[in-house]
Amino acid sequence: MDSKTLSSTSRQLAAVLEPIAGQVYFSPECHSNYQALGFGGSRGVQDGLALGNRMAYFTSRGSVMGQVSGHVVAATFAVFNPDIVIPAVEEGWRLTDAARICSARDRGAIAQLERILGASPAGVERAQQLLQRAVGPLKIEGRPLFAGLRSLEVPNTALGATWRLTDMLREYRGDSHIAAWLSEGLDAVEVCLLTDAFSGLPMRTYSATRGWTTDQFDPATERLVTRGLLDTNGETFTATGREIRSRIELNTDKQMHTAMLAIEDDVSELMEILAPWAQAIKDACGYPKRGPQEMAIAASKTLST
């Protein structure tokens, strides 16, 4: 697979996988399970989506690695402000333990998928087989969330196992993305600002949903201007900034080569099975319908809620 095809195909697959894996963060079943453990309930509804409780989000997603400290979760998630992650996780561990909230996460995610797709959607066994082929040869070094998911017991239904595999590929790509931007000498605030520009968003919109504030944005913007990555007003890319941010995506794609090679001949079949699932999940308000720009702008207006 040449590099251009690799980038294109791996991004297409990631887009199809995202609603299936990421629906866990909008699952009313998950929110109810977390609330039963003592966490706050959903923060409300936006565009039909049940928004999650931030403390439950950090604690549940981090729980796949075991009962690690808030510092470890902040380091692993990378783009979130540690000032909000660390206390959230430490408080989360006062309410529950990793095994219980991880189980609540699994049960809630699978329950939402069963509600939307049915217990055995068309092609689920084949999708499980192909995803297992993609995940099988992947190595864990430098990829803590992927490694954590790999250490867990696989759910005992085809749909549950398929969800676990999509989550593993999602986190493998996420871990790879962190490695890619760190290798460019960027810190978390800087890469969030460059991502705003890369996504065509107003500066400090999506990045603000990661908990960063003016006190962190201002010096990070100055650093990016000094490096020649943002223009002198700090409002948009320079050519160099665009090149670096594009290279981060390309280097993320390259790290997916092993998975893509494992299913190269069958990747179109896998996407044909999963694409209707992804659309059904969006249609049922299990994952955002709107693009990142609209969602980020709306979210940035409700950060204090």
Side-chain angles (χ1 to χ4, degrees):
M1 186 180 292
D2 63 78
S3 59
K4 184 176 181 180
T5 302
L6 169 65
S7 286
S8 175
T9 307
S10 64
R11 292 184 201 184
Q12 289 175 40
L13 180 58
V16 171
L17 292 174
E18 177 62 23
I20 301 166
Q23 54 81 27
V24 62
Y25 304 115
F26 304 96
S27 163
E29 291 89 344
C30 281
H31 302 335
S32 294
N33 289 348
Y34 302 151
Q35 195 166 13
L37 295 174
F39 292 86
S42 170
R43 289 186 290 120
V45 176
Q46 180 183 328
D47 291 350
L49 293 164
L51 303 179
N53 173 275
R54 291 189 183 94
M55 185 189 300
Y57 166 76
F58 292 126
T59 308
S60 63
R61 188 178 173 210
S63 73
V64 305
M65 300 181 291
Q67 199 150 331
V68 297
S69 73
H71 289 78
V72 172
V73 174
T76 304
F77 290 11
V79 293
F80 289 90
N81 186 346
D83 291 344
I84 66 169
V85 178
I86 293 169
V89 174
E90 299 306 330
E91 179 61 26
W93 294 145
R94 284 190 276 272
L95 296 175
T96 190
D97 57 45
R100 284 192 293 170
I101 195 168
C102 195
S103 174
R105 181 181 191 269
D106 283 357
R107 289 184 283 106
I110 295 167
Q112 172 160 253
L113 288 177
E114 290 179 343
R115 170 170 52 82
I116 295 171
L117 303 176
S120 185
V124 65
E125 290 84 3
R126 179 61 171 162
Q128 180 185 356
Q129 180 187 60
L130 293 174
L131 288 165
Q132 185 58 62
R133 270 173 47 192
V135 166
L138 299 181
K139 297 182 179 180
I140 63 173
E141 56 260 35
R143 295 178 173 86
L145 283 169
F146 170 73
L149 287 166
R150 189 155 210 164
S151 74
L152 299 177
E153 183 178 348
V154 177
N156 61 8
T157 66
L159 184 59
T162 299
W163 172 70
R164 170 79 84 235
L165 292 163
T166 64
D167 202 21
M168 290 171 72
L169 280 177
R170 180 184 189 270
E171 296 292 19
Y172 187 91
R173 186 178 178 91
D175 289 338
S176 299
H177 187 67
I178 293 168
W181 59 257
L182 285 173
S183 71
E184 295 290 348
L186 296 166
D187 67 23
V189 193
E190 293 165 354
V191 78
C192 282
L193 288 168
L194 291 181
T195 298
D196 280 342
F198 186 75
S199 303
L201 303 173
M203 299 297 283
R204 307 187 184 191
T205 50
Y206 183 77
S207 51
T209 68
R210 273 41 194 157
W212 305 111
T213 66
T214 300
D215 289 342
Q216 288 107 18
F217 282 139
D218 285 348
T221 300
E222 291 179 13
R223 293 193 298 272
L224 291 171
V225 170
T226 299
R227 284 185 62 181
L229 306 186
L230 292 180
D231 68 7
T232 54
N233 295 319
E235 295 178 354
T236 191
F237 276 132
T238 62
T240 302
R242 182 177 296 278
E243 178 185 356
I244 286 177
R245 189 59 186 79
S246 296
R247 190 163 65 226
I248 289 169
E249 294 303 313
L250 289 171
N251 287 337
T252 303
D253 296 334
K254 288 178 182 178
Q255 293 177 76
M256 301 305 296
H257 180 264
T258 299
M260 299 307 299
L261 188 63
I263 55 170
E264 182 173 9
D265 295 336
D266 298 310
V267 66
S268 294
E269 181 188 0
L270 177 60
M271 289 193 284
E272 287 172 3
I273 295 170
L274 297 183
W277 299 10
Q279 188 60 53
I281 291 165
K282 290 181 180 181
D283 290 344
C285 296
Y287 193 82
K289 293 180 184 178
R290 293 197 293 170
Q293 183 170 3
E294 294 86 358
M295 289 294 294
I297 293 170
S300 69
K301 294 178 181 177
T302 60
L303 283 174
S304 62
T305 63

